[in-house]
């Protein structure tokens, strides 16, 4: 067993990670190949939320939901550019948490690291339950809880074997999602313009974007309502910066992922929603009843569209579970290495796998699954709401961290600044304003208010713990220094 401290208790803002220093090793193995990283980068922004939740967004904003996706997509592009700048210069398994530790202080790295870990542990429960529902509908003889258990055990095993087994599973899971959405966009566009042989769709071109109450049937304000409904389906874009630390060429992997994020969002999010809105009127009852993608496929005349989408959604769920477990464990590993979590989390086995970090994340995931079955409307709903706005908190911290890290990188290793945020610092501040506006606007929304307030409550508790720990460590250091001086 090897153990690494990425940044121990004495770590100071501006000091490089141990992993960045010559001759040090964090114990993790470079088991992810370029094709793994490429597919993780491409598929990372595609979650089950895109397939399942887009219908509600279309119903709330009409065709204007395209502008909602475009606004959030722009925000994610900027955030990923900032994160890419830092990750290319200093690849780390803790990613933005490690950078916040260096740039803003240990309290910031501790707080955002644990909040992010909490977010993904809750996601494990959500996705395990969603996958179990689909599997139970196929094999009713096996109860839903058993399917959730089976799915969690299988993916835990793949993560425990090696990082390359995680990468291989994710390569195929993400590949199926990418091919499915790519095929959906191509076939859908052919049907939209009447070029698809045998299609049941009349091929009305772009008419459906305006023929039912115009492009803004619910008014321009509905764009912001749509933003609240789609923003969380983008969470996960940052996973590639954590995974890059276990690849052979982290800098190149981060550069490719950062540069490709624009077309990924354009094709997979805007492209697929555009196809749905041009194949059907936005208020077609089937969009909410069957789901936007199934409704679109049915309008073309694709047989067994529901079953086809079930397979794709299950793949997206398994992919999200696989990556969620990987991400939570690597964040726990990084926290352990910096002295912000039990030291056992920072130990790796002979295969370079942080076994304790994986198993602890899974245990909490199983507990959350139990809560979902035992108290779905009370305890589990609290977990959901209290982690709901964490995505936005993470993006805010990335922005503030990058403001400070640019100067640190230029001062200590300017040659590593190979990815740069555009129009720095103006676009960084503009992104901070955009994210802050979304958070404030959520407080005016009945469904969003509880998420923001509960997430703020949990964040306040975690930050308070971080500050208390910092004060105690300083006092302990001062006492030790006094005792040394007296001696």
């Amino acid at each position: 067993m090897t153990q690494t401290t990425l940044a121990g208790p004495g770590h100071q803002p501006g000091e490089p990670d141990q992993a960045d220093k010559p001759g040090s090793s964090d114990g993790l193995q470079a088991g992810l190949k370029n094709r793994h990283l490429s597919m993780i980068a491409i598929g990372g922004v595609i979650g089950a939320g895109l397939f399942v939740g887009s219908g509600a967004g279309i119903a709330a904003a009409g065709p204007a939901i395209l502008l909602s996706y475009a606004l959030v997509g722009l925000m994610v592009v900027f955030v990923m550019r900032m994160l890419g700048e830092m990750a290319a210069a200093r690849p780390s398994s803790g990613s933005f948490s490690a950078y916040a530790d260096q740039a803003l202080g240990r309290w910031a790295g501790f707080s955002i690291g644990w909040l992010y870990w909490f977010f993904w542990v809750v996601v494990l429960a959500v996705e395990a339950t969603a996958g179990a529902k689909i599997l139970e509908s196929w094999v009713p003889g096996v109860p839903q809880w058993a399917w959730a258990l089976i799915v969690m055990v299988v993916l835990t095993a793949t993560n425990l074997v090696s990082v390359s087994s995680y990468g291989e599973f994710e390569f195929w899971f993400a590949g199926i999602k990418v091919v499915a959405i790519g095929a959906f966009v191509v076939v859908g566009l052919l049907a939209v313009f009447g070029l698809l042989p045998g299609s049941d769709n009349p091929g009305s071109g772009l008419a459906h974007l305006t023929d039912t109450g115009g492009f803004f049937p619910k008014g321009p304000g509905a764009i912001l309502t749509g933003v609240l409904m789609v923003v969380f389906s983008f969470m996960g874009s940052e996973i590639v910066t954590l995974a890059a630390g276990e690849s052979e060429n982290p800098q190149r992997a981060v550069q490719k992922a950062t540069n490709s994020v624009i077309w990924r969002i354009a094709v997979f999010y805007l492209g697929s929603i555009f196809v749905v809105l041009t194949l059907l009127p936005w208020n077609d009852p089937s969009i909410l009843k069957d789901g936007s993608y199934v409704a679109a496929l049915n309008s073309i005349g694709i047989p067994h569209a529901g079953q086809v989408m079930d397979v794709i959604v299950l793949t997206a769920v398994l992919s999200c579970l696989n990556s969620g477990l990987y991400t939570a464990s690597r964040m726990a590993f990084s926290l352990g290495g910096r002295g912000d979590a039990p030291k056992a989390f920072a130990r790796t086995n002979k295969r370079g796998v942080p076994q304790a970090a994986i198993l602890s994340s899974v245990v909490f995931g199983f507990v959350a699954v139990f809560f979902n079955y035992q108290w779905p409307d009370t305890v589990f709903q609290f977990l959901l709401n209290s982690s709901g706005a964490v995505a936005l908190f993470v993006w805010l911290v990335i922005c503030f961290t990058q403001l400070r890290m640019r100067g640190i990188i230029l001062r200590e290793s300017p040659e590593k600044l190979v990815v740069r945020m555009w129009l720095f610092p103006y676009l960084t501040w503009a992104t901070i304003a955009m994210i802050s506006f979304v958070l404030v606007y959520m407080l005016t929304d009945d469904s969003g208010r509880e998420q923001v307030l509960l997430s703020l409550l949990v964040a306040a508790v975690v930050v308070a713990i971080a500050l208390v720990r910092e004060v105690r460590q300083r006092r302990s250091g001062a006492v030790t220094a006094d005792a040394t001086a007296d001696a």
Side-chain angles (χ1 to χ4, degrees):
M1 302 282 276
T2 59
Q3 180 181 331
T4 298
T5 303
L6 295 180
H11 181 69
Q12 298 297 322
E15 183 180 318
D17 265 355
Q18 294 293 332
D20 293 328
K21 295 178 180 177
S24 71
S25 168
D26 61 7
L28 299 174
Q29 292 184 359
L32 293 177
K33 300 175 183 176
N34 285 334
R35 65 184 177 88
H36 294 155
L37 263 295
S38 297
M39 197 54 76
I40 290 169
I42 294 170
V45 296
I46 310 167
L50 175 63
F51 300 105
V52 179
S54 54
I58 291 171
I65 194 69
L66 282 170
L67 296 180
S68 304
Y69 274 102
L71 278 172
V72 179
L74 188 65
M75 203 157 62
V76 171
V77 167
F78 291 159
V79 170
M80 280 297 293
R81 187 73 185 183
M82 287 180 251
L83 185 53
E85 176 181 298
M86 297 182 286
R90 298 188 172 191
S92 168
S93 61
S95 188
F96 51 84
S97 172
Y99 309 141
D101 188 302
Q102 298 167 45
L104 305 177
R106 295 201 63 228
W107 67 270
F110 176 96
S111 302
I112 205 63
W114 277 114
L115 284 172
Y116 193 67
W117 178 87
F118 172 59
F119 172 86
W120 280 108
V121 167
V122 175
V123 167
L124 291 181
V126 173
E127 299 296 335
T129 304
K133 285 180 180 176
I134 294 173
L135 289 167
E136 188 192 27
S137 69
W138 295 348
V139 187
V142 180
Q144 200 179 111
W145 66 265
W147 278 122
L149 182 66
I150 291 168
V151 165
M152 291 273 278
V153 167
V154 169
L155 292 179
T156 300
T158 65
N159 274 266
L160 284 172
V161 170
S162 67
V163 69
S164 60
S165 64
Y166 153 73
E168 199 63 34
F169 265 72
E170 192 57 24
F171 175 80
W172 292 106
F173 286 154
I176 291 171
K177 288 188 291 185
V178 168
V179 170
I181 295 184
F184 175 80
V185 171
V186 171
V187 171
L189 286 176
L190 290 174
V192 165
F193 296 105
L195 302 175
L196 186 68
S199 172
D200 295 344
N201 194 281
S204 54
L206 307 181
H208 287 322
L209 292 177
T210 55
D211 64 4
T212 313
F215 191 75
F216 300 99
K218 300 290 186 78
I223 295 172
L224 293 175
T225 304
V227 164
L228 303 187
M229 301 185 81
V230 307
V231 67
F232 302 109
S233 64
F234 283 84
M235 190 64 172
S237 308
E238 65 290 328
I239 289 174
V240 70
T241 64
L242 281 82
E246 293 178 79
S247 67
E248 293 175 357
N249 192 337
Q251 195 175 77
R252 181 171 173 269
V254 168
Q255 278 184 279
K256 286 181 66 176
T258 305
N259 292 334
S260 66
V261 71
I262 297 175
W263 70 260
R264 283 186 277 140
I265 289 172
V267 173
F268 297 127
Y269 279 86
L270 290 172
S272 59
I273 298 300
F274 175 81
V275 165
V276 172
L277 290 166
T278 46
L279 283 174
L280 291 163
W282 69 270
N283 59 354
D284 190 301
S286 64
I287 290 179
L288 273 180
K289 178 176 175 287
D290 302 324
S292 55
Y293 288 78
V294 173
L297 291 173
N298 282 334
S299 77
I300 298 172
I302 301 291
H304 309 294
Q307 291 91 325
V308 171
M309 282 310 301
D310 270 351
V311 172
I312 296 169
V313 170
L314 179 63
T315 303
V317 163
L318 294 176
S319 170
C320 198
L321 256 174
N322 195 37
S323 287
L325 180 53
Y326 172 83
T327 306
S329 65
R330 277 4 180 228
M331 187 56 73
F333 171 82
S334 177
L335 287 165
R338 286 179 276 141
D340 291 335
K343 289 182 179 179
F345 287 5
R347 297 193 184 106
T348 57
N349 60 22
K350 61 184 178 182
R351 294 186 302 276
V353 173
Q355 195 167 293
I358 291 173
L359 292 176
S360 62
S361 300
V362 171
V363 166
F364 279 94
F366 277 129
V367 170
V369 169
F370 172 74
F371 286 155
N372 193 12
Y373 287 108
Q374 194 68 28
W375 302 289
D377 301 322
T378 51
V379 179
F380 189 69
Q381 192 61 41
F382 171 80
L383 290 178
L384 274 182
N385 286 331
S386 59
S387 65
V390 166
L392 294 169
F393 296 166
V394 167
W395 294 348
L396 263 183
V397 167
I398 289 171
C399 294
F400 282 112
T401 301
Q402 190 260 341
L403 285 172
R404 296 285 302 275
M405 278 295 287
R406 168 68 73 90
I408 294 171
I409 295 168
L410 282 174
R411 186 169 63 250
E412 296 178 356
S413 48
E415 73 283 356
K416 292 185 178 181
L417 199 62
V418 293
V419 176
R420 289 175 180 259
M421 176 58 183
W422 308 294
L423 297 176
F424 177 82
Y426 308 108
L427 267 185
T428 300
W429 282 110
T431 308
I432 289 170
M434 289 167 67
I435 298 170
S436 301
F437 178 79
V438 171
L439 282 167
V440 172
Y441 188 77
M442 284 180 75
L443 292 172
T444 69
D445 180 76
D446 290 338
S447 59
R449 186 181 303 113
E450 189 175 7
Q451 284 190 14
V452 173
L453 292 176
L454 286 177
S455 296
L456 281 171
L457 174 64
V458 171
V461 170
V462 175
V463 170
I465 293 170
L467 292 173
V468 168
R469 287 179 78 255
E470 201 164 324
V471 169
R472 285 183 174 177
Q473 285 170 355
R474 285 177 182 170
R475 285 178 179 172
S476 174
V479 169
T480 303
D482 289 343
T484 304
D486 291 342

